[in-house]
Amino acid sequence: MGGVEDDEPPSKRGKVSSGALGGLSNGTSHRAQANCSLSDSMAQPLASQGKDEVVGSKGMVKKVELVRIIAEALYSLGYKNTGAHLEEESGIPLQSSVVNLFMQQILDGKWDDSVATLHKIGLMDETIIKLASFVILEQKFFSLLGGENVMDALKTLRTEIAPLCINNDRVRELSSYILSPSLNDLDINSDQEVRLKSREKLLEELQMLLPSTMIIPERRLVHLVEQGLDLQRDACRFHNSSVGEMSLFTDHQCGKDNIPSQTLQILQEHGDEVWCLQFSHNGRYLASSSRDCLVIIWELRIDKYIGYITVFLKHRLSSHQKPVSYISWSPDDQQLLTCGEEEAIRRWDVTSGECLHNYEKSGLGFISCGWAPDGKRIFSGVTDKSISMWDLEGREVECWKGQRTIRISDLGITRDGKQLITVCKETTMLLFGWESQSEKLIEEGQNIVSFALSEDSKFLLVSLANQEIHLWNIEGAINLVAKFKGHKHSRFVLKSCFGGLDQAFIASGSEDSKVYIWHRLSGELVLTLSGHSGAVNCVSWNPTNPHMLASASDDRTIRIWGLNRVSLNHDDRHSNGIHLCNGRT
């Protein structure tokens, strides 16, 4: 790794100015400057330091690599002198003198010299050499063409670029510049600052081509630290706070107190079993529906008397003649769809509580509903097993007949609006591309009870009759990711959900009157919440507050779960406080 001693004084070798290199985003400006002035003349490997010397209790970290990435980090952070002194004291240069020369030649626009140096760096892979040469010679071609040296540019293309046999389509494209050069497209033909910027970009591109052992990737140490934090966070079964709270000084480990497990409120406005509930996308509202045919919109506000976020009753929506089995918030949370059990769909204004439209289909009822991402159309599952699309005025725009859905009140719509997800048979999920008419199926071995789509539309959570919840990855090739077990289910429709920070948890109701919470990545059951006196039919995790969870039960109540007395003055942006009430303002 060390360089050969050079008799030239450092002042003659420091050709790189901070102004000329200051624009590099990956810190090359700092380390190239320091390397030219210090590392080549002083940073020589100590005799006792072999390249395979390791540090750390596990013998996995090579000392040379560790010192080099520390030096790179110092230069990237702007500590040029400290980085140079680390190279000097350790005898371990950040990069070899040949690599430094190569980088300087690129920045100086010495294209032929840089290609010659490239062959001396020690690359064993001939393909990499050709790819890097192609990128450099392409820049040479543009420089010549920009300087109106058309014949020299043509010669470079014919005798240097084309023989590399790399990217023939690009070679033909370059030849078109010879026939009809568009100099306005060539930033090479402008002032010195633009030319320098072009060379900096070229150097960044070359750094991605060359092995990391020669040129250390940008911010490598920071990347390794972030990886370590990610692994610690993923391994933490109770992590439910912002990443900003993680520290480099200690190993990360959260306690159960980060998971909503305390009853903050008990809402008792429904007169019968509460079947469904869902937080709005902005987390400011909660909608619930019940066997009593009533839909309630609740609003989350700060109670000025107690200083905590409290849930207040906002509207009672009472037009349905049958129990309401499905609710869906509009993308902007200004409207709400409600679906009566095999009845009509109603669209409501959230601010006023007014019913804006009834959607009906002669002789048929609806079993599910949902919004298109643009908020201008709605989709519905129909009792004849078809799926319909409607405009807001109630005109049926399209209907897809056939075995599209069964009488399970769930309908998923992906974020791009291109796929509809339904249960088309007792044990089969349908992913229907309604524009392309494509169909994908997920086959389960047990009857499907309900399902939920993740916020990013990449995962599907399927509750089954055999007391299991399956997590499917539906992005690209469909595959089963995890199974969650432990809750009790035998007769009723139970709905589960994603939730917590980055949707790192899975929650479900249960027929033993409890709420079950699993860690999504490990599949471990981390908490069970007791308090209800009847089967818990549905759960909903506040999408903007990972410390708030709601559950609906046959005991006619809704419980709001949160952390134990988290004050609004706490640094965490998610705040709750214990306050039991019946929901009335």
mmCIF file of all heavy atoms in Angstrom, residues 396-433:
data_model
loop_
_atom_site.group_PDB
_atom_site.id
_atom_site.type_symbol
_atom_site.label_atom_id
_atom_site.label_comp_id
_atom_site.label_asym_id
_atom_site.label_seq_id
_atom_site.Cartn_x
_atom_site.Cartn_y
_atom_site.Cartn_z
ATOM 1 N N GLU A 396 -71.965 4.430 -13.312
ATOM 2 C CA GLU A 396 -71.097 3.262 -13.358
ATOM 3 C C GLU A 396 -70.246 3.342 -14.624
ATOM 4 O O GLU A 396 -70.731 3.228 -15.738
ATOM 5 C CB GLU A 396 -71.930 1.974 -13.351
ATOM 6 C CG GLU A 396 -71.075 0.727 -13.228
ATOM 7 C CD GLU A 396 -71.915 -0.548 -13.162
ATOM 8 O OE1 GLU A 396 -73.016 -0.566 -13.755
ATOM 9 O OE2 GLU A 396 -71.465 -1.515 -12.524
ATOM 10 N N VAL A 397 -68.955 3.524 -14.438
ATOM 11 C CA VAL A 397 -68.038 3.718 -15.559
ATOM 12 C C VAL A 397 -67.670 2.387 -16.191
ATOM 13 O O VAL A 397 -67.565 2.264 -17.416
ATOM 14 C CB VAL A 397 -66.769 4.455 -15.093
ATOM 15 C CG1 VAL A 397 -65.784 4.627 -16.245
ATOM 16 C CG2 VAL A 397 -67.124 5.804 -14.477
ATOM 17 N N GLU A 398 -67.493 1.371 -15.347
ATOM 18 C CA GLU A 398 -67.082 0.071 -15.868
ATOM 19 C C GLU A 398 -67.489 -1.002 -14.870
ATOM 20 O O GLU A 398 -67.602 -0.761 -13.666
ATOM 21 C CB GLU A 398 -65.563 0.035 -16.098
ATOM 22 C CG GLU A 398 -65.108 -1.097 -16.986
ATOM 23 C CD GLU A 398 -63.830 -0.758 -17.757
ATOM 24 O OE1 GLU A 398 -63.287 0.345 -17.567
ATOM 25 O OE2 GLU A 398 -63.395 -1.617 -18.545
ATOM 26 N N CYS A 399 -67.677 -2.215 -15.399
ATOM 27 C CA CYS A 399 -68.022 -3.348 -14.542
ATOM 28 C C CYS A 399 -67.278 -4.576 -15.051
ATOM 29 O O CYS A 399 -67.325 -4.890 -16.241
ATOM 30 C CB CYS A 399 -69.528 -3.595 -14.545
ATOM 31 S SG CYS A 399 -70.030 -5.026 -13.538
ATOM 32 N N TRP A 400 -66.569 -5.242 -14.153
ATOM 33 C CA TRP A 400 -65.830 -6.449 -14.505
ATOM 34 C C TRP A 400 -66.570 -7.636 -13.903
ATOM 35 O O TRP A 400 -66.557 -7.843 -12.681
ATOM 36 C CB TRP A 400 -64.407 -6.379 -13.992
ATOM 37 C CG TRP A 400 -63.642 -5.233 -14.592
ATOM 38 C CD1 TRP A 400 -63.051 -5.196 -15.813
ATOM 39 C CD2 TRP A 400 -63.406 -3.950 -13.988
ATOM 40 N NE1 TRP A 400 -62.456 -3.970 -16.022
ATOM 41 C CE2 TRP A 400 -62.658 -3.183 -14.912
ATOM 42 C CE3 TRP A 400 -63.760 -3.374 -12.761
ATOM 43 C CZ2 TRP A 400 -62.254 -1.879 -14.640
ATOM 44 C CZ3 TRP A 400 -63.362 -2.085 -12.489
ATOM 45 C CH2 TRP A 400 -62.619 -1.345 -13.420
ATOM 46 N N LYS A 401 -67.201 -8.416 -14.757
ATOM 47 C CA LYS A 401 -68.013 -9.540 -14.291
ATOM 48 C C LYS A 401 -67.161 -10.796 -14.172
ATOM 49 O O LYS A 401 -66.012 -10.836 -14.589
ATOM 50 C CB LYS A 401 -69.190 -9.769 -15.243
ATOM 51 C CG LYS A 401 -70.188 -8.603 -15.272
ATOM 52 C CD LYS A 401 -71.407 -8.948 -16.089
ATOM 53 C CE LYS A 401 -72.412 -7.806 -16.086
ATOM 54 N NZ LYS A 401 -72.953 -7.568 -14.718
ATOM 55 N N GLY A 402 -67.763 -11.806 -13.610
ATOM 56 C CA GLY A 402 -67.051 -13.051 -13.390
ATOM 57 C C GLY A 402 -66.756 -13.240 -11.915
ATOM 58 O O GLY A 402 -67.252 -12.495 -11.052
ATOM 59 N N GLN A 403 -65.932 -14.222 -11.624
ATOM 60 C CA GLN A 403 -65.607 -14.535 -10.234
ATOM 61 C C GLN A 403 -64.535 -13.560 -9.734
ATOM 62 O O GLN A 403 -63.390 -13.918 -9.513
ATOM 63 C CB GLN A 403 -65.112 -15.982 -10.130
ATOM 64 C CG GLN A 403 -64.950 -16.503 -8.717
ATOM 65 C CD GLN A 403 -66.269 -16.858 -8.061
ATOM 66 O OE1 GLN A 403 -67.263 -17.069 -8.739
ATOM 67 N NE2 GLN A 403 -66.279 -16.923 -6.745
ATOM 68 N N ARG A 404 -64.936 -12.305 -9.540
ATOM 69 C CA ARG A 404 -63.988 -11.274 -9.116
ATOM 70 C C ARG A 404 -63.924 -11.113 -7.600
ATOM 71 O O ARG A 404 -62.913 -10.706 -7.065
ATOM 72 C CB ARG A 404 -64.369 -9.923 -9.739
ATOM 73 C CG ARG A 404 -64.491 -9.930 -11.251
ATOM 74 C CD ARG A 404 -63.164 -10.155 -11.942
ATOM 75 N NE ARG A 404 -63.291 -10.012 -13.388
ATOM 76 C CZ ARG A 404 -62.291 -10.202 -14.245
ATOM 77 N NH1 ARG A 404 -61.110 -10.559 -13.792
ATOM 78 N NH2 ARG A 404 -62.485 -10.069 -15.551
ATOM 79 N N THR A 405 -65.011 -11.382 -6.934
ATOM 80 C CA THR A 405 -65.044 -11.204 -5.485
ATOM 81 C C THR A 405 -66.135 -12.085 -4.899
ATOM 82 O O THR A 405 -67.063 -12.508 -5.598
ATOM 83 C CB THR A 405 -65.297 -9.731 -5.120
ATOM 84 O OG1 THR A 405 -65.187 -9.563 -3.702
ATOM 85 C CG2 THR A 405 -66.669 -9.275 -5.569
ATOM 86 N N ILE A 406 -66.005 -12.407 -3.623
ATOM 87 C CA ILE A 406 -67.055 -13.109 -2.900
ATOM 88 C C ILE A 406 -67.500 -12.225 -1.748
ATOM 89 O O ILE A 406 -67.024 -11.093 -1.597
ATOM 90 C CB ILE A 406 -66.582 -14.489 -2.395
ATOM 91 C CG1 ILE A 406 -65.404 -14.329 -1.427
ATOM 92 C CG2 ILE A 406 -66.210 -15.381 -3.554
ATOM 93 C CD1 ILE A 406 -64.962 -15.636 -0.806
ATOM 94 N N ARG A 407 -68.380 -12.714 -0.930
ATOM 95 C CA ARG A 407 -68.988 -11.850 0.089
ATOM 96 C C ARG A 407 -68.094 -11.673 1.307
ATOM 97 O O ARG A 407 -68.454 -11.992 2.435
ATOM 98 C CB ARG A 407 -70.349 -12.406 0.466
ATOM 99 C CG ARG A 407 -71.299 -12.397 -0.726
ATOM 100 C CD ARG A 407 -72.709 -12.774 -0.382
ATOM 101 N NE ARG A 407 -73.564 -12.725 -1.570
ATOM 102 C CZ ARG A 407 -74.877 -12.877 -1.551
ATOM 103 N NH1 ARG A 407 -75.509 -13.095 -0.413
ATOM 104 N NH2 ARG A 407 -75.577 -12.817 -2.671
ATOM 105 N N ILE A 408 -66.891 -11.193 1.051
ATOM 106 C CA ILE A 408 -65.966 -10.788 2.113
ATOM 107 C C ILE A 408 -65.705 -9.307 1.927
ATOM 108 O O ILE A 408 -65.284 -8.860 0.856
ATOM 109 C CB ILE A 408 -64.659 -11.586 2.046
ATOM 110 C CG1 ILE A 408 -64.938 -13.041 2.455
ATOM 111 C CG2 ILE A 408 -63.610 -10.984 2.962
ATOM 112 C CD1 ILE A 408 -63.725 -13.929 2.438
ATOM 113 N N SER A 409 -65.995 -8.534 2.978
ATOM 114 C CA SER A 409 -66.012 -7.073 2.814
ATOM 115 C C SER A 409 -64.617 -6.467 2.927
ATOM 116 O O SER A 409 -64.302 -5.735 3.847
ATOM 117 C CB SER A 409 -66.922 -6.444 3.878
ATOM 118 O OG SER A 409 -66.527 -6.857 5.169
ATOM 119 N N ASP A 410 -63.763 -6.807 1.961
ATOM 120 C CA ASP A 410 -62.443 -6.187 1.857
ATOM 121 C C ASP A 410 -62.164 -5.918 0.387
ATOM 122 O O ASP A 410 -62.472 -6.744 -0.485
ATOM 123 C CB ASP A 410 -61.349 -7.083 2.438
ATOM 124 C CG ASP A 410 -61.243 -6.952 3.948
ATOM 125 O OD1 ASP A 410 -61.373 -5.821 4.446
ATOM 126 O OD2 ASP A 410 -61.054 -7.975 4.626
ATOM 127 N N LEU A 411 -61.577 -4.766 0.130
ATOM 128 C CA LEU A 411 -61.186 -4.390 -1.222
ATOM 129 C C LEU A 411 -59.914 -3.569 -1.122
ATOM 130 O O LEU A 411 -59.867 -2.560 -0.414
ATOM 131 C CB LEU A 411 -62.295 -3.560 -1.896
ATOM 132 C CG LEU A 411 -61.995 -2.997 -3.287
ATOM 133 C CD1 LEU A 411 -61.807 -4.135 -4.289
ATOM 134 C CD2 LEU A 411 -63.129 -2.077 -3.752
ATOM 135 N N GLY A 412 -58.862 -4.040 -1.777
ATOM 136 C CA GLY A 412 -57.585 -3.326 -1.770
ATOM 137 C C GLY A 412 -57.330 -2.643 -3.091
ATOM 138 O O GLY A 412 -57.631 -3.197 -4.159
ATOM 139 N N ILE A 413 -56.785 -1.431 -3.033
ATOM 140 C CA ILE A 413 -56.443 -0.675 -4.239
ATOM 141 C C ILE A 413 -55.015 -0.173 -4.067
ATOM 142 O O ILE A 413 -54.716 0.526 -3.094
ATOM 143 C CB ILE A 413 -57.408 0.512 -4.453
ATOM 144 C CG1 ILE A 413 -58.848 0.001 -4.547
ATOM 145 C CG2 ILE A 413 -57.038 1.292 -5.720
ATOM 146 C CD1 ILE A 413 -59.891 1.089 -4.425
ATOM 147 N N THR A 414 -54.122 -0.553 -4.970
ATOM 148 C CA THR A 414 -52.717 -0.177 -4.838
ATOM 149 C C THR A 414 -52.537 1.335 -5.008
ATOM 150 O O THR A 414 -53.399 2.019 -5.554
ATOM 151 C CB THR A 414 -51.849 -0.918 -5.874
ATOM 152 O OG1 THR A 414 -52.373 -0.684 -7.193
ATOM 153 C CG2 THR A 414 -51.856 -2.415 -5.592
ATOM 154 N N ARG A 415 -51.414 1.831 -4.536
ATOM 155 C CA ARG A 415 -51.169 3.284 -4.515
ATOM 156 C C ARG A 415 -51.209 3.893 -5.908
ATOM 157 O O ARG A 415 -51.600 5.050 -6.076
ATOM 158 C CB ARG A 415 -49.815 3.584 -3.865
ATOM 159 C CG ARG A 415 -49.781 3.290 -2.381
ATOM 160 C CD ARG A 415 -48.422 3.581 -1.788
ATOM 161 N NE ARG A 415 -48.104 5.001 -1.842
ATOM 162 C CZ ARG A 415 -46.987 5.528 -1.353
ATOM 163 N NH1 ARG A 415 -46.083 4.756 -0.801
ATOM 164 N NH2 ARG A 415 -46.755 6.823 -1.416
ATOM 165 N N ASP A 416 -50.789 3.136 -6.922
ATOM 166 C CA ASP A 416 -50.833 3.666 -8.288
ATOM 167 C C ASP A 416 -52.202 3.499 -8.930
ATOM 168 O O ASP A 416 -52.430 3.953 -10.053
ATOM 169 C CB ASP A 416 -49.756 3.017 -9.162
ATOM 170 C CG ASP A 416 -49.909 1.491 -9.261
ATOM 171 O OD1 ASP A 416 -50.945 0.955 -8.811
ATOM 172 O OD2 ASP A 416 -48.981 0.847 -9.779
ATOM 173 N N GLY A 417 -53.136 2.849 -8.211
ATOM 174 C CA GLY A 417 -54.491 2.687 -8.707
ATOM 175 C C GLY A 417 -54.649 1.667 -9.811
ATOM 176 O O GLY A 417 -55.742 1.506 -10.371
ATOM 177 N N LYS A 418 -53.599 0.917 -10.126
ATOM 178 C CA LYS A 418 -53.647 0.016 -11.275
ATOM 179 C C LYS A 418 -54.112 -1.386 -10.927
ATOM 180 O O LYS A 418 -54.505 -2.150 -11.814
ATOM 181 C CB LYS A 418 -52.269 -0.043 -11.936
ATOM 182 C CG LYS A 418 -51.844 1.273 -12.575
ATOM 183 C CD LYS A 418 -50.501 1.147 -13.263
ATOM 184 C CE LYS A 418 -50.111 2.454 -13.942
ATOM 185 N NZ LYS A 418 -48.793 2.354 -14.630
ATOM 186 N N GLN A 419 -54.050 -1.752 -9.651
ATOM 187 C CA GLN A 419 -54.442 -3.101 -9.261
ATOM 188 C C GLN A 419 -55.540 -3.065 -8.207
ATOM 189 O O GLN A 419 -55.490 -2.267 -7.273
ATOM 190 C CB GLN A 419 -53.247 -3.892 -8.715
ATOM 191 C CG GLN A 419 -52.356 -4.483 -9.788
ATOM 192 C CD GLN A 419 -51.402 -5.526 -9.220
ATOM 193 O OE1 GLN A 419 -50.890 -5.375 -8.127
ATOM 194 N NE2 GLN A 419 -51.164 -6.594 -9.962
ATOM 195 N N LEU A 420 -56.520 -3.931 -8.375
ATOM 196 C CA LEU A 420 -57.560 -4.144 -7.386
ATOM 197 C C LEU A 420 -57.324 -5.512 -6.745
ATOM 198 O O LEU A 420 -56.996 -6.479 -7.437
ATOM 199 C CB LEU A 420 -58.942 -4.127 -8.045
ATOM 200 C CG LEU A 420 -59.287 -2.891 -8.887
ATOM 201 C CD1 LEU A 420 -60.670 -3.041 -9.489
ATOM 202 C CD2 LEU A 420 -59.203 -1.625 -8.042
ATOM 203 N N ILE A 421 -57.482 -5.576 -5.437
ATOM 204 C CA ILE A 421 -57.219 -6.818 -4.714
ATOM 205 C C ILE A 421 -58.497 -7.252 -4.009
ATOM 206 O O ILE A 421 -59.104 -6.478 -3.264
ATOM 207 C CB ILE A 421 -56.077 -6.632 -3.698
ATOM 208 C CG1 ILE A 421 -54.812 -6.139 -4.425
ATOM 209 C CG2 ILE A 421 -55.792 -7.939 -2.969
ATOM 210 C CD1 ILE A 421 -53.676 -5.775 -3.500
ATOM 211 N N THR A 422 -58.914 -8.483 -4.260
ATOM 212 C CA THR A 422 -60.143 -9.015 -3.668
ATOM 213 C C THR A 422 -59.939 -10.480 -3.302
ATOM 214 O O THR A 422 -58.946 -11.110 -3.687
ATOM 215 C CB THR A 422 -61.331 -8.920 -4.643
ATOM 216 O OG1 THR A 422 -61.080 -9.776 -5.764
ATOM 217 C CG2 THR A 422 -61.557 -7.501 -5.121
ATOM 218 N N VAL A 423 -60.898 -11.016 -2.574
ATOM 219 C CA VAL A 423 -60.975 -12.462 -2.353
ATOM 220 C C VAL A 423 -61.953 -12.999 -3.384
ATOM 221 O O VAL A 423 -63.149 -12.721 -3.334
ATOM 222 C CB VAL A 423 -61.463 -12.782 -0.925
ATOM 223 C CG1 VAL A 423 -61.477 -14.292 -0.710
ATOM 224 C CG2 VAL A 423 -60.571 -12.107 0.110
ATOM 225 N N CYS A 424 -61.457 -13.756 -4.363
ATOM 226 C CA CYS A 424 -62.315 -14.219 -5.458
ATOM 227 C C CYS A 424 -62.892 -15.610 -5.206
ATOM 228 O O CYS A 424 -63.891 -15.990 -5.819
ATOM 229 C CB CYS A 424 -61.564 -14.189 -6.784
ATOM 230 S SG CYS A 424 -60.158 -15.306 -6.870
ATOM 231 N N LYS A 425 -62.242 -16.374 -4.343
ATOM 232 C CA LYS A 425 -62.750 -17.666 -3.886
ATOM 233 C C LYS A 425 -62.421 -17.789 -2.410
ATOM 234 O O LYS A 425 -61.643 -17.003 -1.877
ATOM 235 C CB LYS A 425 -62.130 -18.815 -4.688
ATOM 236 C CG LYS A 425 -62.475 -18.807 -6.165
ATOM 237 C CD LYS A 425 -61.800 -19.975 -6.884
ATOM 238 C CE LYS A 425 -62.106 -19.940 -8.379
ATOM 239 N NZ LYS A 425 -61.426 -21.046 -9.106
ATOM 240 N N GLU A 426 -62.990 -18.802 -1.764
ATOM 241 C CA GLU A 426 -62.798 -18.930 -0.327
ATOM 242 C C GLU A 426 -61.334 -18.978 0.085
ATOM 243 O O GLU A 426 -60.953 -18.502 1.148
ATOM 244 C CB GLU A 426 -63.521 -20.188 0.193
ATOM 245 C CG GLU A 426 -65.010 -20.041 0.368
ATOM 246 C CD GLU A 426 -65.762 -20.039 -0.955
ATOM 247 O OE1 GLU A 426 -65.125 -20.350 -1.985
ATOM 248 O OE2 GLU A 426 -66.967 -19.729 -0.962
ATOM 249 N N THR A 427 -60.481 -19.540 -0.757
ATOM 250 C CA THR A 427 -59.065 -19.693 -0.415
ATOM 251 C C THR A 427 -58.138 -18.970 -1.391
ATOM 252 O O THR A 427 -56.933 -19.223 -1.404
ATOM 253 C CB THR A 427 -58.685 -21.186 -0.385
ATOM 254 O OG1 THR A 427 -58.900 -21.753 -1.687
ATOM 255 C CG2 THR A 427 -59.506 -21.945 0.640
ATOM 256 N N THR A 428 -58.683 -18.055 -2.197
ATOM 257 C CA THR A 428 -57.888 -17.452 -3.268
ATOM 258 C C THR A 428 -58.025 -15.935 -3.286
ATOM 259 O O THR A 428 -59.136 -15.398 -3.259
ATOM 260 C CB THR A 428 -58.298 -18.011 -4.644
ATOM 261 O OG1 THR A 428 -58.248 -19.432 -4.618
ATOM 262 C CG2 THR A 428 -57.372 -17.493 -5.732
ATOM 263 N N MET A 429 -56.865 -15.257 -3.358
ATOM 264 C CA MET A 429 -56.831 -13.801 -3.532
ATOM 265 C C MET A 429 -56.615 -13.486 -5.008
ATOM 266 O O MET A 429 -55.859 -14.177 -5.704
ATOM 267 C CB MET A 429 -55.676 -13.190 -2.728
ATOM 268 C CG MET A 429 -55.713 -13.465 -1.240
ATOM 269 S SD MET A 429 -56.939 -12.472 -0.388
ATOM 270 C CE MET A 429 -56.467 -10.828 -0.892
ATOM 271 N N LEU A 430 -57.267 -12.425 -5.476
ATOM 272 C CA LEU A 430 -57.112 -11.977 -6.860
ATOM 273 C C LEU A 430 -56.455 -10.608 -6.888
ATOM 274 O O LEU A 430 -56.904 -9.671 -6.218
ATOM 275 C CB LEU A 430 -58.474 -11.897 -7.546
ATOM 276 C CG LEU A 430 -58.511 -11.216 -8.926
ATOM 277 C CD1 LEU A 430 -57.722 -12.028 -9.943
ATOM 278 C CD2 LEU A 430 -59.945 -10.999 -9.394
ATOM 279 N N LEU A 431 -55.359 -10.482 -7.633
ATOM 280 C CA LEU A 431 -54.734 -9.196 -7.919
ATOM 281 C C LEU A 431 -55.064 -8.876 -9.373
ATOM 282 O O LEU A 431 -54.491 -9.468 -10.299
ATOM 283 C CB LEU A 431 -53.220 -9.251 -7.705
ATOM 284 C CG LEU A 431 -52.711 -9.182 -6.256
ATOM 285 C CD1 LEU A 431 -53.093 -10.439 -5.477
ATOM 286 C CD2 LEU A 431 -51.213 -8.986 -6.214
ATOM 287 N N PHE A 432 -55.982 -7.955 -9.554
ATOM 288 C CA PHE A 432 -56.568 -7.690 -10.863
ATOM 289 C C PHE A 432 -56.073 -6.350 -11.403
ATOM 290 O O PHE A 432 -56.351 -5.289 -10.838
ATOM 291 C CB PHE A 432 -58.094 -7.688 -10.749
ATOM 292 C CG PHE A 432 -58.814 -7.317 -12.022
ATOM 293 C CD1 PHE A 432 -58.570 -8.001 -13.198
ATOM 294 C CD2 PHE A 432 -59.746 -6.280 -12.032
ATOM 295 C CE1 PHE A 432 -59.233 -7.661 -14.370
ATOM 296 C CE2 PHE A 432 -60.414 -5.932 -13.195
ATOM 297 C CZ PHE A 432 -60.152 -6.629 -14.366
ATOM 298 N N GLY A 433 -55.302 -6.405 -12.507
ATOM 299 C CA GLY A 433 -54.884 -5.187 -13.192
ATOM 300 C C GLY A 433 -56.004 -4.739 -14.112
ATOM 301 O O GLY A 433 -56.128 -5.244 -15.231
#
